[in-house]
Amino acid sequence: MKYFEVSSLFKGKKIIKTIKAPSKNDALAMAKSKSAGIVLSVKETSAPIEDQFKNFKETILGTINKKNIKMKNLIAAIRQLAVMTNAGISIHDSIREVKNATVDSTLKSIFEQIDDDLNSGLSLTESMMNFRYELGDVTIAMVELGESTGNMAESLEKLGEILEEIEENRQKFKKALRYPITVVVAIGIAFTILMVYVVPKFRDIFAKLKADLPLPTKILMAMEYAINNYGLYILLCLFATIAIIKYLLKTNEEFKNSFDKNILKVYLVGKIIFYATLSRFTLIFTELIRAGIPISDALDTSILTIDNTHLKNKLSSVKVSVSRGVSLTEAFRETGLFEGMLIQMIHAGEQSGTLDKMLEKVTNYFKSKFNDIIDNIASYIEPILLAFIAGMVLLMALGIFMPMWDMAQAVKN
């Protein structure tokens, strides 16, 4: 929903109101229906302060109170749906059985609502779109594929495999990060303890001697002063910054576009997002093409699975180019996201009529690149980790021992 400033003329007076609507045309229609005067202009504006505060509050509370579906429960439900539909049981009855069988309370309530929506005449895809955040875009895309082709069992079975692979990669990623996170937390705790209990004693000694302190010691003293006097405020500012960033990512398109573009430039993180996104996109696109879905429709559905707006905009341009008559190969080449080798493979697939097979090879390439990063993430992080530890130890050592060396030298002289 967007906010629009509506100017109207009523009894010779100009009246300005703010209307909340999905689009400018909707805002104009609402203004004409509500206003007895003449509508002069409608222009988009920012949300009122009270609404911004309300949205911010809802975002914070939603972050604290939100209940995520456990991936293993979702996979089990999808697997059960696949088996039941493959056995000839209607999707409506299958949904009801899965609702009764699942132990996940959030998932149970979702399937209850889907069951009601199916009774009211909605399709499974339309019903699941209301739970896009909880179920994920990949789930909705594969269900839409099943409804489009009439082969729901096969689509659900493939969806189960995709979700299992995503969960496996997530677990591998968490396992790989466990060691570096433990080390960083341990060093952070040790550094904080030194700052709180040890460094102040040296501060008193250096203050009594009135010595000219070297730069590392001044930095150490400044850090100690900030932690001991403003530590709680620094912690609150950190949490507030994270909350504000989450809020802006949810409500501000310009901020999200900038954030998503710059996150791709971050060491290691950018590559993980890039290869994971393109692997998922090409996988869904391949399955849709293999099922006989037109390229334009397949692109629409596949793009829904992309979270990063920068990559989404790049790949959205493929559909625009294809609709203008440009070949799929050239459209992918124009994005600048695909290597020359991959472009040649797509071109060969277009020429030989085996596009789905070549796209599968492209998917496997992105998947292998992603798996390589995940499997070797510890070795990628190790240099940064060593540099971080070395920097902390060096600062502490130089900050404490340099003034002591100077004092010892002065006594000796």
Side-chain angles (χ1 to χ4, degrees), residues 253-254 256-261 264 277-278 281 299 302-304 306-321 331-332 334-337:
E253 290 184 12
E254 187 177 344
K256 180 168 171 56
N257 290 338
S258 177
F259 181 88
D260 286 346
K261 183 177 181 180
L264 293 172
T277 301
L278 287 185
F281 167 79
L299 285 169
S302 304
I303 288 168
L304 286 175
I306 300 175
D307 296 323
N308 187 282
T309 52
H310 179 69
L311 294 177
K312 179 177 280 191
N313 293 336
K314 287 270 188 180
L315 292 169
S316 295
S317 67
V318 175
K319 184 191 172 182
V320 177
S321 298
F332 276 131
E334 288 173 3
T335 63
L337 301 176

PDB file of all heavy atoms in Angstrom, residues 253-254 256-261 264 277-278 281 299 302-304 306-321 331-332 334-337:
ATOM      1  N   GLU A 253      11.638   0.906  -0.670  1.00  0.00           N
ATOM      2  CA  GLU A 253      12.132   0.210  -1.867  1.00  0.00           C
ATOM      3  C   GLU A 253      13.506   0.721  -2.292  1.00  0.00           C
ATOM      4  O   GLU A 253      14.367  -0.056  -2.696  1.00  0.00           O
ATOM      5  CB  GLU A 253      11.136   0.380  -3.017  1.00  0.00           C
ATOM      6  CG  GLU A 253       9.833  -0.384  -2.824  1.00  0.00           C
ATOM      7  CD  GLU A 253       8.924  -0.272  -4.028  1.00  0.00           C
ATOM      8  OE1 GLU A 253       9.399   0.204  -5.078  1.00  0.00           O
ATOM      9  OE2 GLU A 253       7.746  -0.647  -3.909  1.00  0.00           O
ATOM     10  N   GLU A 254      13.704   2.032  -2.216  1.00  0.00           N
ATOM     11  CA  GLU A 254      14.986   2.611  -2.627  1.00  0.00           C
ATOM     12  C   GLU A 254      16.124   2.106  -1.747  1.00  0.00           C
ATOM     13  O   GLU A 254      17.201   1.751  -2.237  1.00  0.00           O
ATOM     14  CB  GLU A 254      14.906   4.142  -2.559  1.00  0.00           C
ATOM     15  CG  GLU A 254      16.144   4.835  -3.125  1.00  0.00           C
ATOM     16  CD  GLU A 254      16.005   6.352  -3.099  1.00  0.00           C
ATOM     17  OE1 GLU A 254      14.879   6.851  -2.933  1.00  0.00           O
ATOM     18  OE2 GLU A 254      17.041   7.028  -3.261  1.00  0.00           O
ATOM     19  N   LYS A 256      16.115  -0.717   0.002  1.00  0.00           N
ATOM     20  CA  LYS A 256      16.295  -2.143  -0.266  1.00  0.00           C
ATOM     21  C   LYS A 256      17.076  -2.370  -1.555  1.00  0.00           C
ATOM     22  O   LYS A 256      17.943  -3.242  -1.628  1.00  0.00           O
ATOM     23  CB  LYS A 256      14.936  -2.850  -0.332  1.00  0.00           C
ATOM     24  CG  LYS A 256      15.055  -4.350  -0.603  1.00  0.00           C
ATOM     25  CD  LYS A 256      13.770  -5.083  -0.374  1.00  0.00           C
ATOM     26  CE  LYS A 256      13.865  -6.536  -0.852  1.00  0.00           C
ATOM     27  NZ  LYS A 256      14.989  -7.269  -0.226  1.00  0.00           N
ATOM     28  N   ASN A 257      16.771  -1.592  -2.591  1.00  0.00           N
ATOM     29  CA  ASN A 257      17.510  -1.721  -3.856  1.00  0.00           C
ATOM     30  C   ASN A 257      18.994  -1.447  -3.660  1.00  0.00           C
ATOM     31  O   ASN A 257      19.846  -2.180  -4.162  1.00  0.00           O
ATOM     32  CB  ASN A 257      16.939  -0.759  -4.906  1.00  0.00           C
ATOM     33  CG  ASN A 257      15.562  -1.171  -5.378  1.00  0.00           C
ATOM     34  OD1 ASN A 257      15.178  -2.332  -5.260  1.00  0.00           O
ATOM     35  ND2 ASN A 257      14.809  -0.229  -5.917  1.00  0.00           N
ATOM     36  N   SER A 258      19.288  -0.379  -2.923  1.00  0.00           N
ATOM     37  CA  SER A 258      20.681  -0.019  -2.660  1.00  0.00           C
ATOM     38  C   SER A 258      21.371  -1.083  -1.806  1.00  0.00           C
ATOM     39  O   SER A 258      22.514  -1.471  -2.073  1.00  0.00           O
ATOM     40  CB  SER A 258      20.740   1.340  -1.964  1.00  0.00           C
ATOM     41  OG  SER A 258      22.062   1.684  -1.628  1.00  0.00           O
ATOM     42  N   PHE A 259      20.664  -1.559  -0.774  1.00  0.00           N
ATOM     43  CA  PHE A 259      21.228  -2.577   0.118  1.00  0.00           C
ATOM     44  C   PHE A 259      21.507  -3.870  -0.649  1.00  0.00           C
ATOM     45  O   PHE A 259      22.588  -4.463  -0.525  1.00  0.00           O
ATOM     46  CB  PHE A 259      20.248  -2.838   1.264  1.00  0.00           C
ATOM     47  CG  PHE A 259      20.729  -3.864   2.260  1.00  0.00           C
ATOM     48  CD1 PHE A 259      21.510  -3.473   3.339  1.00  0.00           C
ATOM     49  CD2 PHE A 259      20.408  -5.210   2.118  1.00  0.00           C
ATOM     50  CE1 PHE A 259      21.969  -4.407   4.255  1.00  0.00           C
ATOM     51  CE2 PHE A 259      20.860  -6.149   3.032  1.00  0.00           C
ATOM     52  CZ  PHE A 259      21.641  -5.746   4.108  1.00  0.00           C
ATOM     53  N   ASP A 260      20.532  -4.319  -1.440  1.00  0.00           N
ATOM     54  CA  ASP A 260      20.688  -5.577  -2.186  1.00  0.00           C
ATOM     55  C   ASP A 260      21.806  -5.487  -3.230  1.00  0.00           C
ATOM     56  O   ASP A 260      22.480  -6.481  -3.510  1.00  0.00           O
ATOM     57  CB  ASP A 260      19.370  -5.941  -2.877  1.00  0.00           C
ATOM     58  CG  ASP A 260      18.329  -6.452  -1.892  1.00  0.00           C
ATOM     59  OD1 ASP A 260      18.715  -6.762  -0.747  1.00  0.00           O
ATOM     60  OD2 ASP A 260      17.149  -6.550  -2.253  1.00  0.00           O
ATOM     61  N   LYS A 261      21.984  -4.306  -3.799  1.00  0.00           N
ATOM     62  CA  LYS A 261      23.060  -4.134  -4.787  1.00  0.00           C
ATOM     63  C   LYS A 261      24.430  -4.170  -4.118  1.00  0.00           C
ATOM     64  O   LYS A 261      25.365  -4.812  -4.611  1.00  0.00           O
ATOM     65  CB  LYS A 261      22.865  -2.808  -5.531  1.00  0.00           C
ATOM     66  CG  LYS A 261      23.889  -2.575  -6.634  1.00  0.00           C
ATOM     67  CD  LYS A 261      23.599  -1.279  -7.372  1.00  0.00           C
ATOM     68  CE  LYS A 261      24.604  -1.060  -8.497  1.00  0.00           C
ATOM     69  NZ  LYS A 261      24.327   0.206  -9.234  1.00  0.00           N
ATOM     70  N   LEU A 264      25.929  -7.583  -2.605  1.00  0.00           N
ATOM     71  CA  LEU A 264      26.553  -8.494  -3.568  1.00  0.00           C
ATOM     72  C   LEU A 264      28.048  -8.213  -3.734  1.00  0.00           C
ATOM     73  O   LEU A 264      28.773  -9.043  -4.281  1.00  0.00           O
ATOM     74  CB  LEU A 264      25.861  -8.384  -4.931  1.00  0.00           C
ATOM     75  CG  LEU A 264      24.408  -8.888  -4.985  1.00  0.00           C
ATOM     76  CD1 LEU A 264      23.782  -8.551  -6.338  1.00  0.00           C
ATOM     77  CD2 LEU A 264      24.348 -10.385  -4.739  1.00  0.00           C
ATOM     78  N   THR A 277      21.004 -17.706  -5.383  1.00  0.00           N
ATOM     79  CA  THR A 277      19.859 -17.124  -6.093  1.00  0.00           C
ATOM     80  C   THR A 277      19.753 -17.646  -7.515  1.00  0.00           C
ATOM     81  O   THR A 277      18.680 -18.066  -7.961  1.00  0.00           O
ATOM     82  CB  THR A 277      19.969 -15.588  -6.113  1.00  0.00           C
ATOM     83  OG1 THR A 277      20.004 -15.095  -4.775  1.00  0.00           O
ATOM     84  CG2 THR A 277      18.792 -14.961  -6.831  1.00  0.00           C
ATOM     85  N   LEU A 278      20.879 -17.630  -8.246  1.00  0.00           N
ATOM     86  CA  LEU A 278      20.846 -18.075  -9.639  1.00  0.00           C
ATOM     87  C   LEU A 278      20.618 -19.578  -9.745  1.00  0.00           C
ATOM     88  O   LEU A 278      19.980 -20.049 -10.689  1.00  0.00           O
ATOM     89  CB  LEU A 278      22.144 -17.685 -10.354  1.00  0.00           C
ATOM     90  CG  LEU A 278      22.281 -16.192 -10.673  1.00  0.00           C
ATOM     91  CD1 LEU A 278      23.533 -15.919 -11.482  1.00  0.00           C
ATOM     92  CD2 LEU A 278      21.077 -15.666 -11.423  1.00  0.00           C
ATOM     93  N   PHE A 281      16.875 -19.916  -9.252  1.00  0.00           N
ATOM     94  CA  PHE A 281      16.162 -19.383 -10.417  1.00  0.00           C
ATOM     95  C   PHE A 281      16.232 -20.346 -11.600  1.00  0.00           C
ATOM     96  O   PHE A 281      15.207 -20.672 -12.211  1.00  0.00           O
ATOM     97  CB  PHE A 281      16.763 -18.027 -10.811  1.00  0.00           C
ATOM     98  CG  PHE A 281      16.320 -17.533 -12.165  1.00  0.00           C
ATOM     99  CD1 PHE A 281      15.078 -16.934 -12.322  1.00  0.00           C
ATOM    100  CD2 PHE A 281      17.139 -17.685 -13.280  1.00  0.00           C
ATOM    101  CE1 PHE A 281      14.656 -16.483 -13.576  1.00  0.00           C
ATOM    102  CE2 PHE A 281      16.729 -17.243 -14.525  1.00  0.00           C
ATOM    103  CZ  PHE A 281      15.494 -16.641 -14.681  1.00  0.00           C
ATOM    104  N   LEU A 299       9.459 -17.444 -16.979  1.00  0.00           N
ATOM    105  CA  LEU A 299      10.296 -16.385 -16.408  1.00  0.00           C
ATOM    106  C   LEU A 299       9.560 -15.664 -15.282  1.00  0.00           C
ATOM    107  O   LEU A 299      10.140 -15.370 -14.238  1.00  0.00           O
ATOM    108  CB  LEU A 299      10.700 -15.389 -17.498  1.00  0.00           C
ATOM    109  CG  LEU A 299      11.788 -15.858 -18.472  1.00  0.00           C
ATOM    110  CD1 LEU A 299      11.888 -14.904 -19.652  1.00  0.00           C
ATOM    111  CD2 LEU A 299      13.133 -15.976 -17.774  1.00  0.00           C
ATOM    112  N   SER A 302       9.569 -17.948 -12.201  1.00  0.00           N
ATOM    113  CA  SER A 302      10.920 -18.147 -11.663  1.00  0.00           C
ATOM    114  C   SER A 302      11.429 -16.901 -10.955  1.00  0.00           C
ATOM    115  O   SER A 302      12.099 -16.997  -9.924  1.00  0.00           O
ATOM    116  CB  SER A 302      11.888 -18.520 -12.798  1.00  0.00           C
ATOM    117  OG  SER A 302      11.452 -19.657 -13.494  1.00  0.00           O
ATOM    118  N   ILE A 303      11.096 -15.738 -11.497  1.00  0.00           N
ATOM    119  CA  ILE A 303      11.558 -14.477 -10.905  1.00  0.00           C
ATOM    120  C   ILE A 303      10.933 -14.251  -9.531  1.00  0.00           C
ATOM    121  O   ILE A 303      11.520 -13.589  -8.669  1.00  0.00           O
ATOM    122  CB  ILE A 303      11.259 -13.305 -11.874  1.00  0.00           C
ATOM    123  CG1 ILE A 303      12.210 -13.377 -13.076  1.00  0.00           C
ATOM    124  CG2 ILE A 303      11.402 -11.958 -11.187  1.00  0.00           C
ATOM    125  CD1 ILE A 303      11.836 -12.476 -14.229  1.00  0.00           C
ATOM    126  N   LEU A 304       9.753 -14.837  -9.293  1.00  0.00           N
ATOM    127  CA  LEU A 304       9.105 -14.712  -7.979  1.00  0.00           C
ATOM    128  C   LEU A 304       9.950 -15.292  -6.861  1.00  0.00           C
ATOM    129  O   LEU A 304       9.805 -14.907  -5.700  1.00  0.00           O
ATOM    130  CB  LEU A 304       7.741 -15.412  -8.004  1.00  0.00           C
ATOM    131  CG  LEU A 304       6.608 -14.702  -8.757  1.00  0.00           C
ATOM    132  CD1 LEU A 304       5.374 -15.591  -8.772  1.00  0.00           C
ATOM    133  CD2 LEU A 304       6.284 -13.354  -8.134  1.00  0.00           C
ATOM    134  N   ILE A 306      13.084 -14.969  -6.398  1.00  0.00           N
ATOM    135  CA  ILE A 306      14.295 -14.171  -6.140  1.00  0.00           C
ATOM    136  C   ILE A 306      13.998 -13.117  -5.077  1.00  0.00           C
ATOM    137  O   ILE A 306      13.052 -12.343  -5.203  1.00  0.00           O
ATOM    138  CB  ILE A 306      14.793 -13.493  -7.430  1.00  0.00           C
ATOM    139  CG1 ILE A 306      15.118 -14.549  -8.486  1.00  0.00           C
ATOM    140  CG2 ILE A 306      16.023 -12.640  -7.154  1.00  0.00           C
ATOM    141  CD1 ILE A 306      15.489 -13.974  -9.830  1.00  0.00           C
ATOM    142  N   ASP A 307      14.818 -13.071  -4.032  1.00  0.00           N
ATOM    143  CA  ASP A 307      14.656 -12.096  -2.953  1.00  0.00           C
ATOM    144  C   ASP A 307      15.466 -10.824  -3.210  1.00  0.00           C
ATOM    145  O   ASP A 307      15.033  -9.726  -2.860  1.00  0.00           O
ATOM    146  CB  ASP A 307      15.089 -12.701  -1.612  1.00  0.00           C
ATOM    147  CG  ASP A 307      14.195 -13.866  -1.205  1.00  0.00           C
ATOM    148  OD1 ASP A 307      12.989 -13.790  -1.467  1.00  0.00           O
ATOM    149  OD2 ASP A 307      14.713 -14.849  -0.649  1.00  0.00           O
ATOM    150  N   ASN A 308      16.648 -10.975  -3.796  1.00  0.00           N
ATOM    151  CA  ASN A 308      17.525  -9.829  -4.031  1.00  0.00           C
ATOM    152  C   ASN A 308      16.972  -8.978  -5.176  1.00  0.00           C
ATOM    153  O   ASN A 308      16.856  -9.448  -6.312  1.00  0.00           O
ATOM    154  CB  ASN A 308      18.939 -10.330  -4.359  1.00  0.00           C
ATOM    155  CG  ASN A 308      19.947  -9.198  -4.456  1.00  0.00           C
ATOM    156  OD1 ASN A 308      20.007  -8.489  -5.453  1.00  0.00           O
ATOM    157  ND2 ASN A 308      20.742  -9.025  -3.423  1.00  0.00           N
ATOM    158  N   THR A 309      16.614  -7.725  -4.880  1.00  0.00           N
ATOM    159  CA  THR A 309      15.954  -6.878  -5.881  1.00  0.00           C
ATOM    160  C   THR A 309      16.873  -6.531  -7.055  1.00  0.00           C
ATOM    161  O   THR A 309      16.402  -6.369  -8.177  1.00  0.00           O
ATOM    162  CB  THR A 309      15.446  -5.578  -5.239  1.00  0.00           C
ATOM    163  OG1 THR A 309      16.514  -4.948  -4.523  1.00  0.00           O
ATOM    164  CG2 THR A 309      14.310  -5.845  -4.288  1.00  0.00           C
ATOM    165  N   HIS A 310      18.185  -6.422  -6.801  1.00  0.00           N
ATOM    166  CA  HIS A 310      19.114  -6.100  -7.889  1.00  0.00           C
ATOM    167  C   HIS A 310      19.136  -7.247  -8.908  1.00  0.00           C
ATOM    168  O   HIS A 310      19.023  -7.005 -10.128  1.00  0.00           O
ATOM    169  CB  HIS A 310      20.518  -5.864  -7.331  1.00  0.00           C
ATOM    170  CG  HIS A 310      21.535  -5.549  -8.383  1.00  0.00           C
ATOM    171  ND1 HIS A 310      21.532  -4.374  -9.107  1.00  0.00           N
ATOM    172  CD2 HIS A 310      22.590  -6.280  -8.864  1.00  0.00           C
ATOM    173  CE1 HIS A 310      22.537  -4.375  -9.966  1.00  0.00           C
ATOM    174  NE2 HIS A 310      23.187  -5.520  -9.842  1.00  0.00           N
ATOM    175  N   LEU A 311      19.250  -8.475  -8.429  1.00  0.00           N
ATOM    176  CA  LEU A 311      19.233  -9.626  -9.325  1.00  0.00           C
ATOM    177  C   LEU A 311      17.857  -9.801  -9.965  1.00  0.00           C
ATOM    178  O   LEU A 311      17.749 -10.193 -11.124  1.00  0.00           O
ATOM    179  CB  LEU A 311      19.626 -10.894  -8.559  1.00  0.00           C
ATOM    180  CG  LEU A 311      21.062 -10.951  -8.031  1.00  0.00           C
ATOM    181  CD1 LEU A 311      21.291 -12.232  -7.236  1.00  0.00           C
ATOM    182  CD2 LEU A 311      22.072 -10.857  -9.171  1.00  0.00           C
ATOM    183  N   LYS A 312      16.807  -9.501  -9.206  1.00  0.00           N
ATOM    184  CA  LYS A 312      15.450  -9.619  -9.742  1.00  0.00           C
ATOM    185  C   LYS A 312      15.244  -8.649 -10.905  1.00  0.00           C
ATOM    186  O   LYS A 312      14.666  -9.013 -11.939  1.00  0.00           O
ATOM    187  CB  LYS A 312      14.428  -9.344  -8.645  1.00  0.00           C
ATOM    188  CG  LYS A 312      12.981  -9.423  -9.117  1.00  0.00           C
ATOM    189  CD  LYS A 312      11.986  -9.226  -7.976  1.00  0.00           C
ATOM    190  CE  LYS A 312      11.825 -10.496  -7.195  1.00  0.00           C
ATOM    191  NZ  LYS A 312      10.697 -10.438  -6.242  1.00  0.00           N
ATOM    192  N   ASN A 313      15.725  -7.421 -10.754  1.00  0.00           N
ATOM    193  CA  ASN A 313      15.592  -6.438 -11.838  1.00  0.00           C
ATOM    194  C   ASN A 313      16.380  -6.857 -13.067  1.00  0.00           C
ATOM    195  O   ASN A 313      15.913  -6.683 -14.204  1.00  0.00           O
ATOM    196  CB  ASN A 313      16.062  -5.062 -11.353  1.00  0.00           C
ATOM    197  CG  ASN A 313      15.158  -4.470 -10.287  1.00  0.00           C
ATOM    198  OD1 ASN A 313      13.989  -4.816 -10.205  1.00  0.00           O
ATOM    199  ND2 ASN A 313      15.700  -3.588  -9.460  1.00  0.00           N
ATOM    200  N   LYS A 314      17.570  -7.398 -12.850  1.00  0.00           N
ATOM    201  CA  LYS A 314      18.395  -7.867 -13.972  1.00  0.00           C
ATOM    202  C   LYS A 314      17.682  -8.974 -14.744  1.00  0.00           C
ATOM    203  O   LYS A 314      17.629  -8.970 -15.974  1.00  0.00           O
ATOM    204  CB  LYS A 314      19.734  -8.381 -13.442  1.00  0.00           C
ATOM    205  CG  LYS A 314      20.691  -7.310 -12.976  1.00  0.00           C
ATOM    206  CD  LYS A 314      21.573  -6.862 -14.103  1.00  0.00           C
ATOM    207  CE  LYS A 314      22.682  -5.939 -13.628  1.00  0.00           C
ATOM    208  NZ  LYS A 314      23.542  -5.497 -14.748  1.00  0.00           N
ATOM    209  N   LEU A 315      17.141  -9.950 -14.003  1.00  0.00           N
ATOM    210  CA  LEU A 315      16.498 -11.099 -14.648  1.00  0.00           C
ATOM    211  C   LEU A 315      15.109 -10.746 -15.164  1.00  0.00           C
ATOM    212  O   LEU A 315      14.624 -11.395 -16.102  1.00  0.00           O
ATOM    213  CB  LEU A 315      16.426 -12.266 -13.663  1.00  0.00           C
ATOM    214  CG  LEU A 315      17.797 -12.875 -13.314  1.00  0.00           C
ATOM    215  CD1 LEU A 315      17.692 -13.833 -12.142  1.00  0.00           C
ATOM    216  CD2 LEU A 315      18.392 -13.591 -14.522  1.00  0.00           C
ATOM    217  N   SER A 316      14.475  -9.733 -14.597  1.00  0.00           N
ATOM    218  CA  SER A 316      13.185  -9.278 -15.127  1.00  0.00           C
ATOM    219  C   SER A 316      13.358  -8.691 -16.527  1.00  0.00           C
ATOM    220  O   SER A 316      12.435  -8.749 -17.351  1.00  0.00           O
ATOM    221  CB  SER A 316      12.561  -8.234 -14.200  1.00  0.00           C
ATOM    222  OG  SER A 316      12.232  -8.798 -12.951  1.00  0.00           O
ATOM    223  N   SER A 317      14.538  -8.122 -16.779  1.00  0.00           N
ATOM    224  CA  SER A 317      14.796  -7.558 -18.111  1.00  0.00           C
ATOM    225  C   SER A 317      14.849  -8.640 -19.186  1.00  0.00           C
ATOM    226  O   SER A 317      14.672  -8.348 -20.372  1.00  0.00           O
ATOM    227  CB  SER A 317      16.108  -6.773 -18.099  1.00  0.00           C
ATOM    228  OG  SER A 317      17.219  -7.648 -17.908  1.00  0.00           O
ATOM    229  N   VAL A 318      15.087  -9.901 -18.769  1.00  0.00           N
ATOM    230  CA  VAL A 318      15.113 -11.005 -19.735  1.00  0.00           C
ATOM    231  C   VAL A 318      13.741 -11.157 -20.375  1.00  0.00           C
ATOM    232  O   VAL A 318      13.621 -11.324 -21.593  1.00  0.00           O
ATOM    233  CB  VAL A 318      15.537 -12.326 -19.046  1.00  0.00           C
ATOM    234  CG1 VAL A 318      15.434 -13.495 -20.023  1.00  0.00           C
ATOM    235  CG2 VAL A 318      16.962 -12.215 -18.523  1.00  0.00           C
ATOM    236  N   LYS A 319      12.684 -11.081 -19.561  1.00  0.00           N
ATOM    237  CA  LYS A 319      11.331 -11.225 -20.111  1.00  0.00           C
ATOM    238  C   LYS A 319      11.011 -10.085 -21.070  1.00  0.00           C
ATOM    239  O   LYS A 319      10.389 -10.294 -22.119  1.00  0.00           O
ATOM    240  CB  LYS A 319      10.307 -11.254 -18.977  1.00  0.00           C
ATOM    241  CG  LYS A 319       8.902 -11.496 -19.500  1.00  0.00           C
ATOM    242  CD  LYS A 319       7.842 -11.273 -18.463  1.00  0.00           C
ATOM    243  CE  LYS A 319       6.455 -11.350 -19.107  1.00  0.00           C
ATOM    244  NZ  LYS A 319       5.373 -11.091 -18.165  1.00  0.00           N
ATOM    245  N   VAL A 320      11.431  -8.869 -20.703  1.00  0.00           N
ATOM    246  CA  VAL A 320      11.186  -7.712 -21.568  1.00  0.00           C
ATOM    247  C   VAL A 320      11.864  -7.915 -22.918  1.00  0.00           C
ATOM    248  O   VAL A 320      11.278  -7.670 -23.978  1.00  0.00           O
ATOM    249  CB  VAL A 320      11.687  -6.417 -20.897  1.00  0.00           C
ATOM    250  CG1 VAL A 320      11.503  -5.222 -21.821  1.00  0.00           C
ATOM    251  CG2 VAL A 320      10.965  -6.189 -19.580  1.00  0.00           C
ATOM    252  N   SER A 321      13.117  -8.390 -22.867  1.00  0.00           N
ATOM    253  CA  SER A 321      13.867  -8.615 -24.110  1.00  0.00           C
ATOM    254  C   SER A 321      13.231  -9.723 -24.943  1.00  0.00           C
ATOM    255  O   SER A 321      13.109  -9.594 -26.170  1.00  0.00           O
ATOM    256  CB  SER A 321      15.317  -8.980 -23.784  1.00  0.00           C
ATOM    257  OG  SER A 321      15.961  -7.935 -23.092  1.00  0.00           O
ATOM    258  N   ALA A 331      19.169 -12.358 -24.429  1.00  0.00           N
ATOM    259  CA  ALA A 331      18.549 -11.725 -23.257  1.00  0.00           C
ATOM    260  C   ALA A 331      19.349 -12.031 -21.994  1.00  0.00           C
ATOM    261  O   ALA A 331      19.590 -11.145 -21.172  1.00  0.00           O
ATOM    262  CB  ALA A 331      17.109 -12.219 -23.108  1.00  0.00           C
ATOM    263  N   PHE A 332      19.784 -13.290 -21.841  1.00  0.00           N
ATOM    264  CA  PHE A 332      20.611 -13.658 -20.688  1.00  0.00           C
ATOM    265  C   PHE A 332      21.986 -12.994 -20.775  1.00  0.00           C
ATOM    266  O   PHE A 332      22.556 -12.605 -19.750  1.00  0.00           O
ATOM    267  CB  PHE A 332      20.773 -15.170 -20.602  1.00  0.00           C
ATOM    268  CG  PHE A 332      19.634 -15.875 -19.916  1.00  0.00           C
ATOM    269  CD1 PHE A 332      19.039 -16.982 -20.491  1.00  0.00           C
ATOM    270  CD2 PHE A 332      19.153 -15.437 -18.701  1.00  0.00           C
ATOM    271  CE1 PHE A 332      17.983 -17.639 -19.867  1.00  0.00           C
ATOM    272  CE2 PHE A 332      18.098 -16.072 -18.061  1.00  0.00           C
ATOM    273  CZ  PHE A 332      17.510 -17.172 -18.645  1.00  0.00           C
ATOM    274  N   GLU A 334      22.697 -10.084 -22.016  1.00  0.00           N
ATOM    275  CA  GLU A 334      22.566  -8.659 -21.690  1.00  0.00           C
ATOM    276  C   GLU A 334      22.540  -8.394 -20.186  1.00  0.00           C
ATOM    277  O   GLU A 334      22.865  -7.303 -19.741  1.00  0.00           O
ATOM    278  CB  GLU A 334      21.302  -8.095 -22.343  1.00  0.00           C
ATOM    279  CG  GLU A 334      21.412  -7.949 -23.858  1.00  0.00           C
ATOM    280  CD  GLU A 334      20.086  -7.542 -24.492  1.00  0.00           C
ATOM    281  OE1 GLU A 334      19.109  -7.323 -23.727  1.00  0.00           O
ATOM    282  OE2 GLU A 334      20.031  -7.454 -25.729  1.00  0.00           O
ATOM    283  N   THR A 335      22.142  -9.401 -19.404  1.00  0.00           N
ATOM    284  CA  THR A 335      22.093  -9.206 -17.950  1.00  0.00           C
ATOM    285  C   THR A 335      23.485  -9.082 -17.345  1.00  0.00           C
ATOM    286  O   THR A 335      23.666  -8.457 -16.300  1.00  0.00           O
ATOM    287  CB  THR A 335      21.364 -10.374 -17.261  1.00  0.00           C
ATOM    288  OG1 THR A 335      22.102 -11.594 -17.469  1.00  0.00           O
ATOM    289  CG2 THR A 335      19.956 -10.524 -17.795  1.00  0.00           C
ATOM    290  N   GLY A 336      24.487  -9.713 -17.984  1.00  0.00           N
ATOM    291  CA  GLY A 336      25.844  -9.704 -17.449  1.00  0.00           C
ATOM    292  C   GLY A 336      26.039 -10.621 -16.260  1.00  0.00           C
ATOM    293  O   GLY A 336      27.069 -10.562 -15.590  1.00  0.00           O
ATOM    294  N   LEU A 337      25.056 -11.484 -15.984  1.00  0.00           N
ATOM    295  CA  LEU A 337      25.134 -12.379 -14.831  1.00  0.00           C
ATOM    296  C   LEU A 337      25.697 -13.745 -15.182  1.00  0.00           C
ATOM    297  O   LEU A 337      26.108 -14.492 -14.291  1.00  0.00           O
ATOM    298  CB  LEU A 337      23.733 -12.560 -14.212  1.00  0.00           C
ATOM    299  CG  LEU A 337      23.030 -11.296 -13.718  1.00  0.00           C
ATOM    300  CD1 LEU A 337      21.624 -11.629 -13.240  1.00  0.00           C
ATOM    301  CD2 LEU A 337      23.826 -10.639 -12.603  1.00  0.00           C
TER     302      LEU A 337
END
